DNA sequence: CACCATGTTCCTTG
DNA sequence: CCAAGGAACATGGT
């Protein structure tokens, strides 16, 4: 479940549950997600540490912890990859099948499960340095966006996935933002007109804000044992919940009628990822 | 068996 | 040095 809105919703959910909690034990079942941190390093840093804050940066969850000796704080970076989940469950409950890391918090256990193990749970913060501005932040201005796009001849869709240009948009919301802006995903980045850049800039923000708002109003089931709970809108067992599917205008809708003009939605491949768009509404 | 999947990172080529 | 393209990572669903 990972793009900016889903991570934002998860962070808002977890922050009040974690703040003030002390980590009493660390169980690493799939060390790969710690890379390059070693399991012993993680255990050493986390044992006895206390959660003091949790924020989102792009698609990362940044956990701020107070050291066990009380002297200073440090950061832990989490990333859900393609299939990651994070949630709390009662201490005695059985660990989910694909648990990568479990933290003993006393009565509860914090679980990071990740089927494909593309996610991260690490003390290494080097990945954050290469991130571009937050799409919903002040630094992401139309001027910045326009200037950045001028430097590339790649399709605009590919640039929206470039985390060094803007951080947090993924494949679904890239497609949705382009549809909302009525810009073709294949248009070379440097060929966008000023008006197209402005429309796309607004659409990116609008699509993300609406997704966060929507996720925020749904009652969530965060036990982690259900497949339809919360904002876990895709993947895992079961079908995508209707409530979410209706929100998507083009993503995963190839062959189905465009909700605006009824033309069949098209699927193409760009940079080895699927792109969905309406060939009539997004004709450039 | 084939192809597809919300993401990043590394390697190669130009 | 950079931009761009492709494979790799690992598992499961259809």
């Amino acid at each position: 479940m990972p793009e900016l809105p889903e991570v934002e919703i998860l962070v808002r959910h977890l922050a009040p549950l974690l703040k003030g909690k002390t980590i009493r034990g660390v169980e690493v079942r799939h060390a790969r997600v710690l890379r390059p941190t070693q399991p012993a390093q993680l255990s050493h840093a986390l044992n006895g540490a206390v959660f003091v804050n949790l924020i989102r940066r792009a698609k990362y969850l940044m956990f701020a912890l107070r050291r066990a000796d009380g002297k200073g704080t440090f950061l832990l970076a989490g990333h859900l990859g393609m299939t990651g989940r994070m949630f709390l469950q009662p201490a005695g409950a059985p660990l989910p099948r694909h648990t990568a890391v479990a933290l003993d918090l006393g009565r509860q256990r914090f679980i990071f499960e990740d089927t494909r193990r593309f996610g991260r749970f690490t003390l290494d913060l080097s990945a954050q340095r290469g991130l571009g501005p937050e799409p919903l932040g002040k630094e992401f201005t139309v001027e910045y966006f326009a200037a950045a796009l001028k430097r590339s001849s790649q399709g605009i869709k590919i640039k929206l996935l470039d985390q060094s240009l803007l951080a947090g948009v993924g494949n679904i919301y890239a497609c949705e933002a382009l549809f909302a802006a009525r810009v073709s995903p294949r248009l070379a980045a440097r060929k966008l007109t000023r008006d197209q850049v402005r429309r796309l800039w607004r659409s990116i923000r609008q699509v993300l804000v609406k997704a966060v708002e929507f996720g925020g109003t749904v009652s969530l089931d965060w036990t982690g044992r259900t497949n339809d709970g919360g904002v876990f809108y895709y993947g895992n067992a079961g079908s995508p919940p209707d409530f979410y599917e209706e929100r998507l205008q083009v993503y995963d809708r190839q062959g189905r009628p465009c909700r605006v003009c009824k033309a069949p939605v098209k699927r193409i491949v760009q940079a080895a990822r699927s792109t969905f768009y309406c060939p009539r509404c997004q004709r450039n």
Side-chain angles (χ1 to χ4, degrees), chain A residues 20-247:
Chain A
K21 293 254 166 56
T22 301
I23 298 171
R24 306 178 183 205
V26 179
E27 186 178 349
V28 178
R29 306 187 51 164
H30 290 295
R32 165 172 231 276
V33 304
L34 309 189
R35 64 195 182 283
T37 299
Q38 294 301 309
Q41 288 181 279
L42 189 78
S43 295
H44 179 73
L46 295 190
N47 261 307
V50 180
F51 285 102
V52 294
N53 200 15
L54 173 58
I55 63 162
R56 179 191 60 73
R57 169 71 175 111
K59 302 173 194 172
Y60 289 86
L61 298 96
M62 304 302 296
F63 300 87
L65 294 126
R66 183 167 311 284
R67 288 167 39 138
D69 62 13
K71 295 177 180 168
T73 60
F74 64 98
L75 291 174
L76 172 72
H79 193 293
L80 300 170
M82 297 272 264
T83 53
R85 291 175 160 195
M86 292 182 190
F87 50 87
L88 298 183
Q89 66 176 30
L95 287 180
R97 178 130 105 118
H98 297 292
T99 298
V101 180
L103 305 180
D104 175 2
L105 303 177
R107 294 181 182 185
Q108 291 177 311
R109 197 143 54 167
F110 171 91
I111 307 289
F112 173 34
E113 73 162 328
D114 186 0
T115 306
R116 291 169 74 180
R117 310 202 279 277
F118 289 177
R120 301 285 290 274
F121 200 72
T122 183
L123 298 172
D124 172 38
L125 307 179
S126 57
Q128 277 73 48
R129 290 184 313 168
L131 295 173
E134 287 286 326
L136 300 178
K138 277 195 211 119
E139 292 179 6
F140 183 57
T141 62
V142 196
E143 296 72 34
Y144 164 85
F145 193 36
L149 295 182
K150 281 295 174 219
R151 286 181 240 123
S152 175
S153 55
Q154 275 186 311
I156 180 63
K157 153 70 177 346
I158 296 168
K159 299 314 286 182
L160 293 186
L161 298 181
D162 181 347
Q163 302 296 299
S164 70
L165 197 155
L166 127 174
V169 173
N171 208 33
I172 294 177
Y173 295 109
C175 294
E176 295 297 314
L178 284 162
F179 175 79
R182 304 189 313 280
V183 171
S184 167
R186 322 153 65 119
L187 186 57
R190 65 161 59 112
K191 296 264 180 102
L192 267 74
T193 64
R194 286 177 56 174
D195 194 50
Q196 287 173 322
V197 172
R198 190 163 5 94
R199 288 202 320 259
L200 185 53
W201 179 85
R202 289 192 55 175
S203 295
I204 289 165
R205 300 168 57 105
Q206 197 171 64
V207 159
L208 295 176
V209 165
K210 282 174 81 173
V212 173
E213 280 176 2
F214 185 69
T217 66
V218 174
S219 75
L220 307 177
D221 176 357
W222 297 88
T223 63
R225 284 190 299 272
T226 64
N227 294 311
D228 59 337
V231 294
F232 301 126
Y233 58 90
Y234 206 77
N236 300 71
S239 53
D242 293 344
F243 72 78
Y244 198 92
E245 208 165 29
E246 284 169 21
R247 295 274 144 173

